Amino acid sequence: MTMADKLPVPDPIAQQYSEQLVTLIKQKIVDAGGKISFADYMQHCLFAPGLGYYSAGSHKIGKQGDFTTAPEISSLFSRTLAQHINDVFKQIEQLNILEFGAGSGKMAVDILTELKSQSMLPEHYYIIEASADLRDRQEKLLHSEIPDIANRVVWLDSLPENFIGVILANEVCDAMPVHCLQFNQGRVSERYIETINSELQWCDDEDLSQPLLAKHANNIQDLIGNINYTTEVNLAAEAWLTSLAASLEQGAIFIIDYGYPQTSYYHPQRDNGTLMCYYQHQGHDNPLILQGIQDITAHINFTALAQTAMDNELDVEGFQSQADFLLAGGITELAPTDDNELSHLHYASKLKQLTLPSEMGESFKVLTLSKNLEQLLPRCKLADRRYSL
Ligand SMILES: C[S@@+](CC[C@H](N)C(=O)[O-])C[C@H]1O[C@@H](n2cnc3c(N)ncnc32)[C@H](O)[C@@H]1O
């Protein structure tokens, strides 16, 4: 029995949505001449209008959804991030925030609340959100939780020019579609999706769908040697970061996600890659089921992002574990100071979830990038691991 065999059975309505999406994907495969790259398949599964996992109306994030994220676990996370944002705000003249993929909107609510308490509210809090459904939920949450300052939040469809401020992306890059590569005794092929006997199936082809993949394949081959190996390359995250670098005139970018430097990412022992699916809080490794009703993610190769940053004139300020980033931001000082034992216990348990190595503290990393800042960001130097990139 595989992990996927033990999953809960979707209800009939979810099943129907999923079948509609599979029909659409099969048509895309026909239109493309018989196969599509895994990246195109993942893009349809997550973002096909009205049917994709993020585009349709399912719950996704939080207890009722399929996975939870740090901002949903506790406001401590976003309030600590606000201290890092403040360090940047002290060095720039226009105070703006741009958040990518804002999920439920909880992080925006907590950051704005914290910055308001410090009289450091940004002029604008921009959000770029790929999912119309989530954008709708963000608007509702912001207007109900912080009605007095919600008018500072503006949704954008594309990057602003000459942006001065702070850019945030928490668990966004891992939702970007990845290409899958297969290495077989020194030969590389790309993993595509085709239809065989009406079923969606993997198929491998030595013709790579994107010329850029060849460079990545050579690099991976050097790291793994001549073994059989399956892995992922996230070209979308590199293109996204290139566009951020072009848009940012002055400020910083905080990218928070689960992932590794490339030597760990492409470690010979990680021979099955990092692709994971989440359905109702259960993780498994089969993306060819539950289309549109399960999340599909891959870990982040932070070396590739740091290299892209440097190639595009961004400074790499720090690379920390989430635990070190939060400790440097003063998370332990943000817990309530009253005598209420229950609330102390509550915060202690959330603090553990966010920082313990066995929870999110070590698997999640923070890559801090900057442009045209006069001074370094000192908090990003605590247990900085740029040497590992
Ligand atoms: C895993 S959720 C994380 C949500 C939120 N940041 C949090 O931490 O709770 C991924 C989010 O990124 C959004 N997303 C994915 N790719 C995106 C892109 N290229 N541009 C903007 N948003 C994107 C999704 O719609 C969703 O809101």
Side-chain angles (χ1 to χ4, degrees):
M1 200 183 232
T2 66
M3 285 188 282
D5 292 331
K6 297 182 200 152
L7 295 169
V9 177
D11 66 54
I13 295 175
Q15 188 65 48
Q16 210 181 341
Y17 267 99
S18 184
E19 282 162 16
Q20 280 183 48
L21 179 60
V22 169
T23 305
L24 177 110
I25 291 171
K26 285 179 180 168
Q27 188 54 48
K28 297 280 178 195
I29 291 174
V30 172
D31 296 346
K35 64 179 188 316
I36 55 174
S37 68
F38 181 76
D40 284 346
Y41 172 79
M42 184 168 164
Q43 173 73 25
H44 296 311
C45 285
L46 298 184
F47 298 108
L51 292 173
Y53 179 73
Y54 283 109
S55 330
S58 73
H59 249 290
K60 305 180 255 284
I61 309 168
K63 276 197 191 124
Q64 294 165 295
D66 301 294
F67 60 89
T68 197
T69 60
E72 302 291 329
I73 288 173
S74 167
S75 60
L76 282 176
F77 176 83
S78 307
R79 289 174 57 211
T80 308
L81 182 51
Q83 316 308 316
H84 286 272
I85 293 170
N86 240 334
D87 288 349
V88 185
F89 276 3
K90 285 178 193 144
Q91 296 196 46
I92 57 181
E93 304 245 313
Q94 293 173 27
L95 309 190
N96 292 303
I97 295 174
L98 166 57
E99 183 184 354
F100 266 84
S104 70
K106 178 86 170 64
M107 188 163 104
V109 166
D110 290 334
I111 287 176
L112 283 167
T113 306
E114 180 66 22
L115 290 176
K116 184 182 172 197
S117 76
Q118 300 184 20
S119 306
M120 287 298 277
L121 271 177
E123 194 177 332
H124 288 114
Y125 192 112
Y126 297 108
I127 294 179
I128 296 186
E129 172 54 66
S131 156
D133 171 54
L134 286 175
R135 173 177 167 159
D136 207 39
R137 290 186 206 195
Q138 291 155 15
E139 251 179 299
K140 288 196 180 99
L141 187 80
L142 282 150
H143 281 100
S144 74
E145 296 284 314
I146 44 168
D148 52 329
I149 44 178
N151 61 354
R152 289 178 192 245
V153 183
V154 178
W155 282 264
L156 300 177
D157 292 323
S158 58
L159 278 166
E161 282 179 21
N162 308 323
F163 181 75
I164 299 180
V166 175
I167 302 179
L168 309 172
N170 186 60
E171 284 204 51
V172 177
C173 295
D174 68 79
M176 293 184 183
V178 290
H179 290 83
C180 287
L181 295 180
Q182 173 104 19
F183 294 81
N184 217 320
Q185 308 291 328
R187 295 186 76 84
V188 62
S189 44
E190 181 171 349
R191 307 213 73 195
Y192 291 83
I193 304 296
E194 63 180 354
T195 311
I196 293 185
N197 298 331
S198 301
E199 296 288 322
L200 294 173
Q201 304 270 358
W202 290 101
C203 79
D204 300 338
D205 192 324
E206 290 191 9
D207 274 342
L208 305 181
S209 63
Q210 300 287 326
L212 268 177
L213 285 173
K215 191 182 104 200
H216 285 274
N218 285 339
N219 180 33
I220 297 166
Q221 188 79 76
D222 288 346
L223 291 163
I224 60 172
N226 280 343
I227 57 171
N228 293 346
Y229 198 82
T230 303
T231 193
E232 303 83 38
V233 174
N234 193 336
L235 295 181
E238 291 170 36
W240 166 80
L241 185 53
T242 302
S243 65
L244 292 197
S247 157
L248 183 66
E249 187 179 312
Q250 188 191 29
I253 306 174
F254 295 102
I255 300 174
I256 308 163
D257 226 312
Y258 37 86
Y260 319 98
Q262 71 170 4
T263 45
S264 297
Y265 196 99
Y266 299 120
H267 192 282
Q269 280 171 0
R270 206 182 300 288
D271 58 357
N272 229 348
T274 69
L275 209 57
M276 280 297 285
C277 306
Y278 292 93
Y279 181 64
Q280 298 190 3
H281 291 274
Q282 297 197 32
H284 69 94
D285 60 2
N286 187 358
L288 302 193
I289 58 170
L290 300 171
Q291 288 87 351
I293 51 177
Q294 68 175 357
D295 192 17
I296 309 176
T297 79
H299 280 52
I300 299 308
N301 170 2
F302 280 104
T303 304
L305 289 188
Q307 187 60 54
T308 305
M310 289 188 295
D311 292 345
N312 289 280
E313 291 167 22
L314 293 171
D315 294 319
V316 181
E317 288 266 350
F319 177 55
Q320 294 163 290
S321 68
Q322 176 169 296
D324 290 325
F325 179 81
L326 293 177
L327 291 171
I331 192 168
T332 51
E333 289 139 44
L334 292 175
T337 47
D338 57 34
D339 290 333
N340 184 332
E341 206 172 313
L342 266 183
S343 91
H344 281 280
L345 283 174
H346 171 81
Y347 273 93
S349 103
K350 300 297 174 190
L351 185 63
K352 282 183 185 168
Q353 257 181 290
L354 293 170
T355 58
L356 279 185
S358 54
E359 302 265 354
M360 299 180 85
E362 180 59 34
S363 51
F364 281 73
K365 312 285 190 315
V366 185
L367 183 67
T368 305
L369 309 169
S370 71
K371 191 167 185 183
N372 294 331
L373 291 186
E374 296 259 310
Q375 292 155 32
L376 299 173
L377 297 172
R379 292 182 206 259
C380 299
K381 303 295 176 269
L382 178 83
D384 178 20
R385 302 183 190 173
R386 278 175 298 174
Y387 63 86
S388 67
L389 288 169

